[in-house]
Amino acid sequence: NKRSKGPEMVETNCNTVKVATCNINQWAMDFGGNLRRICESIRLAKAAGARYRLGPELETTGYSCEDHFLEHDTTAHSWEVICEILRDPERLTDDMLVDIGAPVIHKGVRYNCRVFLLNGKIVLIRPKMALANDGNYRETRFFIAWTRQGSDNLESCMLPMNVRHATGQDTAPIGFAIVQARDGSVASELCEELWAPNSPHILLALDGVDIISNGSGSHHQLRKLDKRVDLILSASSKAGGIYMYANHQGCDGNRLYFDGCAMIALNGQLVAQASQFSLSDVEMVYANVDLEDIRNMRGGVPSYGVSADSTPAVPRVYVDFNLCSSQRLALSMPIKPFYHDPMQELALGPPLWLWDYLRRSGLKGFFLPLSGGADSGATATMVGLMCVYLVDAINSTACPQVLADVRKTVNDPAYIPTSSQDLCGKLLFTCYMGTVNSSAETKDRAAKLAAEVGASHCACLLYTSPSPRDS
């Protein structure tokens, strides 16, 4: 793409940008492990040439810390994680905008925030404005919503002393704002805000933001992904733009399974999608996008211009940084969203939750009273499926962490499972606990199912105390 300038030819500005988002399997209050996984995702993004990396909601602490969020230490340790990222000898934030989810206390009030890092500095802290407080979520118990959106909502947040030493900053801007680079702009929408009736992405798109990102903590529920994808595609189709989504993946300490599926959309079309269920601790997806595609779409819709002209401006934080690559990149093409059918979702979510809970609890297996009925039979089947997925991952060598965790769980540093049944025999212990009222049929069903999945099985007869009428 060249333009004539007198007798010579010069390159026009390159408008292609590589962006990166991720699924990360974090663990509540595991600050050291969370730091390692965040740093791994940043290293992978930098190695791929990305200029912007997005991570999930509250990734420094894990999403499900619950009342630990009410303890000041939780926020203090979260800042320590950010300091380690800023001080890393590999200079992880140099020449890449790094967007991290973390709790922040500002003027004595606790907020659920995005923290933007660039070149060893904190360029913006963006608090969440719509908190999830239904179903499995109780965010209003731990955080306060940031309710201001006007041009004067941006304030100065006093940084902890260790952060001041790491960055050379006493304060950082906090509020609803846009990060404006030399050649493009980025702004956040946090999880629940996408689902809210007055989603910020409308205002941000009308104010010309190129990249709208959503660091989320969204749990698995049957067919919920369909709605999530519909919202993301709609958000980027009405007013154009790149919409990026990051999520936790796995069990991070309670009864929920976060189902990943990080994705990137452009102008209403999906261009990248990560897995919904996986044994990987870190999974990255990337997209190469031409910002001119966004501007061409917006410029071709007269109603966009009319609405944008009357929209109040969102404050901007200016950074001396180019989002776009110095050379043209092969653009990412649209893809169709991938969905598991309901039976696949049921066969993937619970087994992977069981594995995360087992490996991180420090326990060595499961004990299950196996009655031969539907409930205990379904539970045994889920553990059997868990072992199938683990052995498949070990044989593929795609997830080396899986073998290390299996060996730690079975307490054998040289162990390599020969089959899913071999592994299940070390992890699942079942017992048929019959009474005088039990049938031979249920006893037989329990034994057959245990053998099929590979569980270590036994049977016993439970005696009851004689009733008065027996005497």
Side-chain angles (χ1 to χ4, degrees), residues 143-159:
F143 302 104
I144 298 299
W146 185 273
T147 58
R148 289 157 285 166
Q149 294 188 23
S151 58
D152 60 347
N153 91 95
L154 209 56
E155 299 181 356
S156 293
C157 177
M158 298 296 296
L159 299 175

Side-chain angles (χ1 to χ4, degrees), residues 93-380:
T93 65
D94 281 7
D95 298 320
M96 184 171 71
L97 186 62
V98 177
D99 183 352
I100 292 176
V104 173
I105 295 175
H106 172 57
K107 297 196 296 189
V109 179
R110 187 183 305 102
Y111 297 100
N112 178 349
C113 294
R114 306 302 305 178
V115 181
F116 288 86
L117 311 177
L118 176 65
N119 295 330
K121 303 288 185 182
I122 297 173
V123 298
L124 175 66
I125 301 171
R126 200 294 214 177
K128 191 172 184 178
M129 299 188 295
L131 300 178
N133 202 51
D134 61 343
N136 291 294
Y137 298 101
R138 294 292 180 270
E139 290 184 7
T140 57
R141 178 178 173 87
F142 318 121
F143 302 104
I144 298 299
W146 185 273
T147 58
R148 289 157 285 166
Q149 294 188 23
S151 58
D152 60 347
N153 91 95
L154 209 56
E155 299 181 356
S156 293
C157 177
M158 298 296 296
L159 299 175
M161 192 60 67
N162 56 342
V163 183
R164 297 185 194 186
H165 291 156
T167 62
Q169 301 170 257
D170 289 333
T171 64
I174 184 171
F176 177 57
I178 299 164
V179 177
Q180 180 65 56
R182 298 192 198 104
D183 52 0
S185 52
V186 179
S188 283
E189 180 168 81
L190 277 74
C191 196
E192 179 70 11
E193 294 172 3
L194 171 64
W195 302 75
N198 187 21
S199 296
H201 66 255
I202 299 297
L203 179 60
L204 294 171
L206 290 174
D207 203 19
V209 173
D210 299 301
I211 302 172
I212 299 173
S213 60
N214 188 325
S216 187
S218 187
H219 70 283
H220 172 242
Q221 183 176 314
L222 278 178
R223 316 321 291 162
K224 182 180 179 183
L225 178 61
D226 302 56
K227 178 64 172 177
R228 197 186 296 155
V229 171
D230 287 346
L231 287 171
I232 288 171
L233 296 184
S234 173
S236 65
S237 66
K238 285 185 289 186
I242 302 168
Y243 199 102
M244 300 173 59
Y245 174 83
N247 195 14
H248 295 272
Q249 189 172 65
C251 162
D252 79 338
N254 68 7
R255 59 197 178 96
L256 300 181
Y257 181 89
F258 295 92
D259 62 338
C261 209
M263 65 189 91
I264 303 169
L266 169 66
N267 294 343
Q269 293 183 300
L270 200 64
V271 293
Q273 180 182 0
S275 67
Q276 186 179 10
F277 305 98
S278 173
L279 288 165
S280 298
D281 280 348
V282 177
E283 180 182 358
M284 307 296 300
V285 290
Y286 311 95
N288 301 331
V289 181
D290 192 336
L291 298 186
E292 283 302 301
D293 289 341
I294 301 168
R295 294 154 191 171
N296 289 337
M297 177 182 174
R298 290 171 175 171
V301 181
S303 60
Y304 170 86
V306 173
S307 298
D309 182 67
S310 60
T311 298
V314 179
R316 276 171 158 77
V317 175
Y318 292 87
V319 293
D320 187 17
F321 172 69
N322 287 332
L323 272 172
C324 295
S325 172
S326 59
Q327 56 187 356
R328 195 163 296 279
L329 305 171
L331 298 181
S332 300
M333 294 293 104
I335 61 173
K336 291 184 177 180
F338 174 79
Y339 303 102
H340 293 283
D341 67 45
M343 292 301 102
Q344 289 174 322
E345 288 189 56
L346 288 173
L348 285 163
L352 296 183
W353 182 93
L354 286 167
W355 173 239
D356 272 344
Y357 200 92
L358 179 62
R359 70 183 175 122
R360 284 170 161 167
S361 67
L363 301 177
K364 300 305 179 184
F366 298 107
F367 173 76
L368 175 67
L370 188 57
S371 69
D375 294 338
S376 61
T379 303

